[in-house]
Amino acid sequence: MKALEGWHQMMEQGSNDGLWELLHEDCVFWSPVVHTPQRGRDITYAYLSAAQQVFSDHFHYVREVVQGDNAVLEFECVMDGVQINGVDMITAKGDQIIEFKVMVRPLKAVNKVHENMMAMLEQMKAQAPQ
C-alpha cells in the first residue's frame, strides 16, 4: 500500500514533511478523545501534526496488519511517564490516506493523550498566522 509506505517514511524521519500530500482532501480523522469524526485535510493535518509532536517519546509500531487498502498498526509509547498502547487504523485510496482512526488504552493513557493533544493544538493555534 503506497500511502502506508509514505506514512512509515514520514514517521521514521520524525517529520511531517509530505503529510499534506499524503492526505486526501476529504480525509476523515477519528480521534481517541474527540467523539465526532474530523472531516477534511486541514483538520486531519492539524491533528496528525500535533500527534507527531505529542507522541514522540519512545513511539514505535509493534505490529502491522495490511489487507488491500486497509492497515492496522499497533503502537506503544510513553507520554509523561504513562505507558500508552494503541492502534492506528488507516484506509487509503491510491497513494493517499482517506481515513485515519486512532484508538488508545488504558483510560489513564486516554486522559494523558487528551491533556497533551489539547495543549499542543492550542500552542499550534497561537503560533498560526492570523
Side-chain angles (χ1 to χ4, degrees):
M1 176 163 60
K2 190 165 173 80
L4 186 59
E5 291 172 21
W7 175 254
H8 277 304
Q9 184 178 36
M10 193 187 71
M11 293 299 289
E12 288 169 11
Q13 294 172 353
S15 166
N16 63 359
D17 290 343
L19 177 59
W20 183 261
E21 295 78 16
L22 193 58
L23 301 174
H24 189 274
E25 65 182 319
D26 296 323
C27 187
V28 178
F29 179 76
W30 297 82
S31 166
V33 296
V34 178
H35 301 289
T36 58
Q38 305 300 298
R39 299 184 184 281
R41 182 187 288 160
D42 291 338
I43 192 71
T44 302
Y45 180 85
Y47 272 97
L48 290 176
S49 294
Q52 189 172 42
Q53 295 177 49
V54 169
F55 281 86
S56 63
D57 193 16
H58 306 290
F59 181 94
H60 61 283
Y61 288 113
V62 295
R63 188 178 335 187
E64 179 175 311
V65 178
V66 179
Q67 183 177 14
D69 290 335
N70 299 291
V72 177
L73 308 164
E74 182 181 356
F75 65 84
E76 294 177 350
C77 68
V78 177
M79 187 180 294
D80 298 338
V82 175
Q83 177 67 38
I84 297 174
N85 304 99
V87 293
D88 290 336
M89 298 187 329
I90 299 172
T91 302
K93 182 177 184 178
D95 60 352
Q96 289 188 305
I97 294 171
I98 60 171
E99 184 176 51
F100 200 109
K101 184 182 290 187
V102 182
M103 295 185 188
V104 172
R105 62 169 298 278
L107 180 59
K108 184 177 183 179
V110 173
N111 292 335
K112 183 55 69 178
V113 167
H114 181 258
E115 174 187 326
N116 288 0
M117 281 294 294
M118 292 304 108
M120 181 56 66
L121 288 168
E122 284 299 317
Q123 180 182 347
M124 290 171 69
K125 188 184 209 181
Q127 293 174 351
Q130 300 296 323

